[in-house]
Amino acid sequence: MVYIGGMEVWTIQKLLGWMVEYFGAKAVDSPRFSAELLLAHALKWKRIELYTHFDAAVGAQRLAELRGLVKRAGEHEPIAYLVGATEFYSMTIRVGRECLIPRPETEMLVERAIDLLRKQAGEQQVLDLCTGSGCIAAAIAKNHPAAMVVATDLCEKALAIAAENVRTHGLEARVRLLCGDLFEPVIAGLDAAKFDLIACNPPYVSAGEYEKLDRNVRDYEPKKALDGGADGLDVYRRIAARVGEFLKDDGALLLEIGCGQADTVRGLLEAAGLKNIQVFKDHAKLERVVMGRK
Ligand SMILES: C[S@@+](CC[C@H](N)C(=O)[O-])C[C@H]1O[C@@H](n2cnc3c(N)ncnc32)[C@H](O)[C@@H]1O
């Protein structure tokens, strides 16, 4: 133990050890990773710097700031909201309580989208419905310089966060954010004649599942980002009803889906006249993305 002037000193190493134990006792997800993220955020350091300064003492002011964050994390407030950012597709994406925290599963949809766009020549028109933090729109634009992206969301506050992400990643010239209900804000012919690709990670949690969500999700993430109606499929039905108007011939629709939704969503896309429908599994072997072509 290190003491200065009779006072116990909190070194990085000691603080981390204590936080890991505290988070473990509170059943916080990934206690070590969470502790490192919070401590690095409170110190305004990179995570790696914690390891290169293991014996450094943490000052009283930083300790006081950290204390509040640790308490909130112990009450299951998501770490991404506490630090205001998360990693998505190797990009730092800013998040706030008004938008869903991007999930690693959604990277699959982005991977498929980029793969598809790279097989086509020239400028590609992309529409990202339900953009939230803008993570899908930004990741596609960042990784495919020929993509021109329009992204829509109902929530103005989420779009303000998306705008920050678009700015931070230098994508203002190729990502346009529009506020409104699904396709509603898109002016055909002005925003794009039609789209080569439409991507969407909609709210898809059913009413029954919503009640059973982990409390760090249900109590903190916005309900309108999760609630897909009684059976979770409301938004898929609405997308299927209009997607044909907005896709170019042979254009692709990519939808993230929840557990057990693949067959119904496939049926909806077939009924909408889409063809070559494929379902892709994520790294956990769960059906996660449905794709169809006009
Ligand atoms: C599951 S979140 C996805 C956010 C982001 N695309 C992602 O993958 O992390 C769904 C988003 O859809 C938005 N939303 C819900 N209903 C909508 C609608 N009818 N039209 C447009 N956006 C909607 C919510 O505000 C929320 O930001």
Side-chain angles (χ1 to χ4, degrees):
M1 196 76 64
V2 184
Y3 289 86
I4 295 177
M7 295 261 295
E8 188 183 323
V9 172
W10 285 94
T11 62
I12 299 289
Q13 183 173 25
K14 189 178 157 202
L15 254 179
L16 272 178
W18 177 82
M19 285 167 74
V20 170
E21 215 167 284
Y22 181 80
F23 288 162
K26 297 274 181 187
V28 170
D29 285 344
S30 315
R32 176 92 201 174
F33 185 54
S34 299
E36 289 178 6
L37 285 175
L38 272 194
L39 186 51
H41 172 76
L43 296 172
K44 302 182 174 50
W45 288 359
K46 296 197 176 105
R47 248 175 79 221
I48 184 74
E49 290 177 284
L50 300 175
Y51 287 90
T52 53
H53 296 79
F54 237 33
D55 295 324
V58 178
Q61 193 188 333
R62 292 281 185 244
L63 269 180
E65 284 163 18
L66 183 67
R67 192 184 177 284
L69 293 173
V70 168
K71 184 161 187 301
R72 287 162 65 186
E75 286 158 4
H76 294 262
E77 188 163 340
I79 302 294
Y81 287 151
L82 294 174
V83 305
T86 192
E87 289 298 306
F88 180 79
Y89 216 78
S90 303
M91 298 165 80
T92 298
I93 295 289
R94 179 161 154 52
V95 296
R97 288 286 293 271
E98 304 78 12
C99 67
L100 190 90
I101 301 165
R103 306 294 204 265
E105 304 88 273
T106 304
E107 294 182 337
M108 237 218 87
L109 182 146
V110 171
E111 216 172 281
R112 287 281 155 200
I114 292 168
D115 190 47
L116 238 143
L117 294 171
R118 282 185 182 156
K119 290 184 180 136
Q120 294 167 192
E123 196 174 278
Q124 305 288 305
Q125 306 297 330
V126 178
L127 175 60
D128 172 29
L129 300 169
C130 300
T131 197
S133 64
C135 59
I136 295 175
I140 291 177
K142 180 111 189 160
N143 289 281
H144 192 70
M148 300 296 293
V149 187
V150 174
T152 73
D153 201 287
L154 266 183
C155 174
E156 267 184 47
K157 288 181 174 165
L159 283 180
I161 291 173
E164 250 187 90
N165 285 317
V166 167
R167 236 185 348 264
T168 306
H169 292 286
L171 301 168
E172 299 101 313
R174 290 190 296 112
V175 180
R176 232 144 20 99
L177 301 166
L178 304 175
C179 190
D181 183 15
L182 296 180
F183 299 98
E184 215 50 60
V186 179
I187 304 176
L190 182 64
D191 292 315
K194 293 222 175 183
F195 293 93
D196 296 279
L197 171 69
I198 298 178
C200 182
N201 174 20
Y204 57 66
V205 177
S206 70
E209 286 164 348
Y210 189 82
E211 294 313 314
K212 292 186 229 140
L213 287 174
D214 287 345
R215 62 187 153 150
N216 57 336
V217 177
R218 199 191 50 228
D219 293 353
Y220 292 98
E221 298 202 68
K223 188 169 185 187
K224 59 175 163 282
L226 297 161
D227 179 5
D231 64 358
L233 298 162
D234 280 4
V235 180
Y236 299 106
R237 288 192 192 92
R238 298 186 54 221
I239 290 175
R242 293 202 66 193
V243 70
E245 286 171 53
F246 290 89
L247 270 184
K248 285 185 186 166
D249 288 344
D250 206 38
L253 172 67
L254 276 172
L255 296 173
E256 178 167 325
I257 54 162
C259 265
Q261 294 178 328
D263 289 344
T264 319
V265 173
R266 174 193 282 276
L268 287 171
L269 300 195
E270 279 167 358
L274 297 197
K275 51 188 201 259
N276 299 337
I277 295 168
Q278 288 175 274
V279 177
F280 302 101
K281 292 188 177 168
D282 63 16
H283 298 300
K285 307 260 178 285
L286 297 170
E287 293 176 321
R288 182 63 64 193
V289 171
V290 180
M291 184 176 98
R293 281 189 182 271
K294 181 167 163 189

